[in-house]
Amino acid sequence: GGWCWRSVGGWCWSTGVGVRVLVLVLEYVYWCWSTCTGGELIMNTATQASPLQDVHGDGRWLSMHNRFVNQAREMEPDVVFVGDSLVANLQSTDLWEKWFAPMHSLNFGIGGDQTQHVLWRLKNGELEYIKPKAVVVLVGTNNHDHSADEVAEGITEIFQAIREKQPQAYIVILTLLPRGEKPNPLREKNSEVNVLIKEALRQADLCQVVNIDRDLVLSDGTIDHRDMYDYLHLTSQGYRRAFEPVYMLLTNLLHENDTALLNDAALASPASDNPPADNRGTCVE
């Protein structure tokens, strides 16, 4: 009971003390490895497909997902929009009926979705049974618990999932919109995400990152409530500003040989900062 496990520097260490010291050393080494050297052991949940937690208990999110899966089984869309409430609310605008419904579009937007939730939906049936010519993605502004790097990785993971299931589709990644009436950290974070996804997808095949925040931020740095009524969601006027370049790009993709239709689209939608790209080989801005 009083024997020494090892004598070091004249000190007598018991077996119990030695084990405790060893455990402390190992814990310190683990901490350094997992945090001090880049956090390789920390999982980025923005890239891990997971369903939205049903905190209200009404099952609405899963019901909407199941409806989308059924729509994919029953319809033959040329365009699929997927994302959060900014995508979902688009379907309630006149622009959807005028611009996107005639393109045989499906809207798979759910309010509150983050990148991991969209990823789960895409991996669990929403991209089965169909072969769209284009898939449009807008998600990431709700990832409040993730850094800009993590959100960008989540969006990139969504791109990879779409590419795996729909190799023929042209993937359109929309930049995150600014948010908040005045400049704020969340707006800065979204801007950083946009820079990161443009760089991450620069060499990707059959894709385009489209800037949709054109003219939404005024010269004094504020956002007009006539464009974003709550400084997060778009008004009808805001949707027209944001989605004009999307409309022009999709029109070009779907009807590139129909000169008359392209001319009509140009008249319906003023020239944007994102003219449709001629190069279909790599992802462009």
Side-chain angles (χ1 to χ4, degrees), residues 196-259:
L196 291 169
I197 61 174
K198 290 174 184 178
E199 182 59 32
L201 299 177
R202 186 175 299 277
Q203 300 301 320
D205 292 335
L206 293 175
C207 80
Q208 183 161 344
V209 178
V210 178
N211 295 316
I212 63 170
D213 59 352
R214 182 170 58 94
D215 299 332
L216 290 176
V217 178
L218 304 178
S219 59
D220 62 357
T222 63
I223 291 176
D224 194 321
H225 70 275
R226 289 169 292 188
D227 289 324
M228 304 181 85
Y229 61 89
D230 60 354
Y231 309 109
L232 174 63
H233 297 96
L234 294 164
T235 62
S236 295
Q237 173 178 294
Y239 270 112
R240 176 174 289 275
R241 290 183 188 275
F243 279 80
E244 279 177 353
V246 183
Y247 168 66
M248 291 298 295
L249 173 61
L250 293 176
T251 299
N252 185 67
L253 290 172
L254 299 177
H255 308 284
E256 56 186 346
N257 296 321
D258 192 335
T259 304

Side-chain angles (χ1 to χ4, degrees), residues 152-169:
E153 290 174 4
I155 296 172
T156 303
E157 191 70 22
I158 290 172
F159 168 83
Q160 297 292 350
I162 297 172
R163 175 58 66 234
E164 179 180 340
K165 288 185 173 292
Q166 300 291 335
Q168 81 293 336

Side-chain angles (χ1 to χ4, degrees), residues 23 84 102 116 145 151 189:
V23 169
D84 52 30
Q116 64 271 26
D145 294 331
V151 177
K189 173 185 168 183

Side-chain angles (χ1 to χ4, degrees), residues 173-187:
I173 304 294
L174 306 185
T175 56
L176 301 188
L177 290 174
R179 55 184 296 160
E181 180 186 11
K182 300 176 182 179
N184 62 84
L186 288 179
R187 191 192 294 184

